[in-house]
């Protein structure tokens, strides 16, 4: 069964304290792995797509990496405005004809000054 | 550049009433999706549509009806609302499903629905 597990559920950081969020996945062939950011009361906002093991993508203080079993979202020197819930989703290679996404439950990140 | 919009943003209704949530996208994306987001469950797919007049069930379709007469609109109807349908509903769209490359889904702002 295709599955996505994110850890930790919640993370509290001090401003400037770097850390990583984990996304472990089980899927029968990976078409892509997505990271989204979700602010309270808003819809998920697309951040990155990773396609194959070894791939890395960066955006400002965020860097996403991918292995065959998991992805990490590294946050370097975070600021309070990075506080949000970060969602990971996988798209299986065999999706029954549509770009199905399987979401993890998310990691709630709080960055304090 | 409106992107994808949802209305209403907030809705309170009573058990047994019919409710329709609207979704509109301006990108001419082929695919549209409806998700619900609940604590402890993450985002779960209710229905999706590959094109106008083509719809199919997702993971949790019971109690919901969809239609898609125009590419840009994808309304979700709760025919007889129940308390278990209290949730936040998100609409999403993507360009296509073809080929080996993953297609990004873009989400609307959500509708918070409360069923009393």
């Amino acid at each position: 069964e295709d599955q996505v597990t994110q850890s930790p559920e919640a993370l509290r950081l001090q401003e400037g304290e770097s850390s990583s969020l984990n996304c472990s996945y089980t899927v029968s062939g990976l078409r892509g792995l997505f990271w989204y950011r979700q602010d309270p009361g808003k819809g998920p906002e697309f951040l990155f797509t990773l396609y194959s093991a070894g791939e890395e993508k960066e955006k400002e203080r965020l860097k996403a990496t991918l292995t065959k079993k998991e992805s990490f979202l590294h946050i370097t020197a975070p600021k309070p405005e990075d506080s949000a819930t970060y969602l990971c989703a996988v798209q299986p290679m065999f999706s029954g004809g549509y770009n199905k996404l399987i979401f993890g439950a998310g990691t709630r990140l709080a960055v304090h000054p | 550049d409106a992107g994808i919009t949802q209305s209403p943003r907030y809705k309170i209704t009573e058990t047994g009433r019919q409710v329709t949530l609207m979704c509109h996208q301006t990108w001419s994306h082929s695919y549209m999706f409806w998700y619900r987001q609940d604590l402890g469950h993450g985002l779960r797919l209710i229905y999706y549509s590959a094109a106008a007049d083509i719809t199919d069930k997702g993971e949790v379709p019971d109690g919901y009806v969809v239609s898609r007469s125009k590419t840009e609109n994808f309304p979700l109807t709760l025919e007889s609302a129940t308390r278990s349908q209290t949730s936040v509903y998100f609409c999403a769209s993507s360009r296509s499903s073809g080929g080996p490359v993953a297609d990004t889904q873009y989400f609307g702002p959500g509708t918070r629905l409360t069923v009393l």
Side-chain angles (χ1 to χ4, degrees):
Chain A
E1 180 184 351
D2 299 331
Q3 194 169 347
V4 177
T5 303
Q6 291 188 247
S7 61
E9 289 186 15
L11 181 63
R12 178 188 171 117
L13 299 174
Q14 289 299 121
E15 185 172 3
E17 179 187 2
S18 301
S19 188
S20 297
L21 313 183
N22 177 262
C23 172
S24 298
Y25 64 91
T26 304
V27 66
S28 53
L30 180 69
R31 179 177 285 182
L33 184 143
F34 296 81
W35 282 99
Y36 288 84
R37 170 190 171 127
Q38 186 175 22
D39 293 299
K42 296 190 177 181
E45 174 188 350
F46 170 70
L47 292 174
F48 305 108
T49 310
L50 302 168
Y51 297 100
S52 57
E55 188 175 1
E56 298 183 353
K57 288 195 176 173
E58 289 188 63
K59 180 179 180 180
E60 295 180 1
R61 294 176 293 282
L62 301 176
K63 183 169 80 173
T65 62
L66 181 65
T67 72
K68 289 188 177 179
K69 293 183 178 181
E70 57 192 351
S71 177
F72 292 94
L73 185 65
H74 307 278
I75 304 176
T76 301
K79 298 182 178 181
E81 53 261 43
D82 295 321
S83 298
T85 295
Y86 290 86
L87 301 173
C88 173
V90 297
Q91 188 170 110
M93 188 66 72
F94 310 104
S95 304
Y98 72 100
N99 52 345
K100 172 182 181 179
L101 284 181
I102 302 166
F103 280 88
T107 293
R108 293 190 313 277
L109 174 66
V111 182
H112 296 269
Chain B
D1 184 350
I4 184 164
T5 56
Q6 294 183 235
S7 63
R9 294 295 317 278
Y10 303 90
K11 177 72 177 179
I12 299 174
T13 191
E14 294 177 339
T15 301
R17 297 217 175 200
Q18 183 179 79
V19 177
T20 296
L21 310 184
M22 303 301 293
C23 178
H24 176 79
Q25 53 104 354
T26 59
W27 294 311
S28 298
H29 283 171
S30 301
Y31 278 77
M32 295 186 74
F33 307 83
W34 274 106
Y35 292 88
R36 60 178 291 172
Q37 188 175 40
D38 305 287
L39 282 175
H41 289 281
L43 283 157
R44 292 181 291 174
L45 182 66
I46 304 170
Y47 268 95
Y48 72 96
S49 169
D53 297 322
I54 301 175
T55 63
D56 206 347
K57 296 178 181 179
E59 181 185 354
V60 289
D62 293 343
Y64 303 96
V65 175
V66 294
S67 62
R68 196 170 175 202
S69 58
K70 294 184 178 181
T71 301
E72 62 267 29
N73 297 324
F74 190 37
L76 175 73
T77 298
L78 290 66
E79 292 190 301
S80 179
T82 66
R83 289 182 181 173
S84 65
Q85 293 178 310
T86 293
S87 186
V88 182
Y89 291 85
F90 290 101
C91 179
S93 70
S94 71
R95 285 184 302 177
S96 71
S97 175
V101 178
D103 290 303
T104 301
Q105 292 185 23
Y106 298 92
F107 285 79
T111 295
R112 182 174 294 274
L113 176 67
T114 301
V115 183
L116 301 175

